[in-house]
Amino acid sequence: MKKIWYILILLLLTISPSAHAQSDAVIEQNRAIVDFPNSVTFQLGYASETTITDAVLTYEVQQFGCLDAAANVPVEVTGELLSWEWVMIRSGNPPPGAIMHWHWTLTDANGRETITPVQELTFVDERFDWHTIKSGDISMNWYEGKQVGTILLDAAVEGLDRLENEMGIEMVSDINFYIYGDYDEMRDAVIYIQDWAGGVAFSEYNTILMGVPPAIAEDWGRSTIQHELAHLVIGQYGQSCIGGRRPTWLDEGLAVYAEGEPDAETRNSIADNLKNNGFVPLRSLNGAFPAHGDGVGHAYAQSYSVVNFLFETYGTGKMQELLLALAAGNGYDEALEAVYGFNVDGLEVEWRAAIGADPRTIPPTPTPIVAAAVPTAVAQSIPRHMPTPGAASQPPIIVDTPSPNPQPTSPPASPPSASTGICGLGMVPFMLTGIYAFTRKKKKRG
Ligand SMILES: [Zn+2]
């Protein structure tokens, strides 16, 4: 059982009397005590001669989602020190680097209001001494391994260059990486995370937490950071507040493409499936990928091949159009039809012909009802064998009324549903790409 007490940020900020004469409340202290990632305790002290009858705390963590996440909490007035605790076990926690603002609205016995000045704090994981380096709009924070930050920042910059200049997919907002020295230390920074996760992407904070032991920074770290950066940037570019989603083959194909030249494992998978007529119907890759076994690697490789075909044949402009058509809420077939003039099956026919595969003989599988509901539209890879809804993906969104404990009583039947919502999904743990990449490396070595 990991018990963490990492941070105590004490902000003894403003001691600020009200700006105007609405009320005579004299504020003596206004602070937020952070026990990251578990809780924030807000405290407001005022002078004893002041009679406060009502108090409302308003706080908000800056996000890049579609929802207004400000919370207004009525706080009981029992004495000269008002106190309220935001217990993050209910809401999930924001990542390190997230910025919170808050203020209090006080009403005195005469109905006059005092609004305290807005305060700000940045969440920090103070267990470690972080180094930070930046390049452009990418920040790399790490603490273990001398070269780790440089290696991974170089990889991220290279990946972003490929995304923007070869793939036509531009980054919209700054992205922050927090690289932990191992997986456990990373997981301890997040309340809700599966014990298999090697990283977690907080898409609404444009922040990725990864566990990267220095020994594997150069190989696993490089490719994984490019892959996950791609998911975040694609998610920014194709952000949809009206429920638009992308098929998994597109998201994963783009992310593998963003890793650069396909590695031997990807090339071998494509070659084997060409020889054995082993490709699966593309439509079956609209939704969740296979959870286990060889199918995982083949699904990534096939997706890469399809995306590579789209770029080679139709260029970046069409890909931009496709991403925007999907963001606009069009279905997968509709969006493809509008941009390329074929649906998913038509794409499969063209792609197979282009790579020299035999025409497919099996009939297309119907699109599962849930396929469009798989939360591929969030910026991240989908942990296919784990439930993304419920606790694991409970968005760190602040609500007026705390939601019931989101811990799921049982994993949902496959595949994950979209109950988390496209804009409400704040964090997605990832590992499969890691496993996949790592497997590939091991195979290469072997
Ligand atoms: Zn992925």
Side-chain angles (χ1 to χ4, degrees), residues 227-228 231 251-252 255-256 300 380-382 384 433:
H227 187 105
E228 298 305 331
H231 279 310
D251 260 338
E252 295 302 344
V256 175
Y300 281 95
Q380 302 315 316
S381 59
I382 301 162
R384 279 162 295 277
T433 60

Side-chain angles (χ1 to χ4, degrees), residues 304-351:
Y304 162 79
S305 180
V306 172
V307 164
N308 186 52
F309 161 74
L310 285 173
F311 276 124
E312 280 188 349
T313 311
Y314 299 97
T316 55
K318 289 287 182 188
M319 184 60 76
Q320 292 169 335
E321 285 180 43
L322 176 63
L323 293 173
L324 297 177
L326 291 164
N330 294 292
Y332 304 158
D333 285 321
E334 270 178 290
L336 282 164
E337 286 276 6
V339 175
Y340 296 100
F342 46 63
N343 66 10
V344 175
D345 302 311
L347 166 59
E348 183 176 2
V349 169
E350 291 222 6
W351 160 71

Side-chain angles (χ1 to χ4, degrees), residues 388-399:
T388 52
S393 57
Q394 190 64 24
I397 281 176
I398 306 146
V399 291

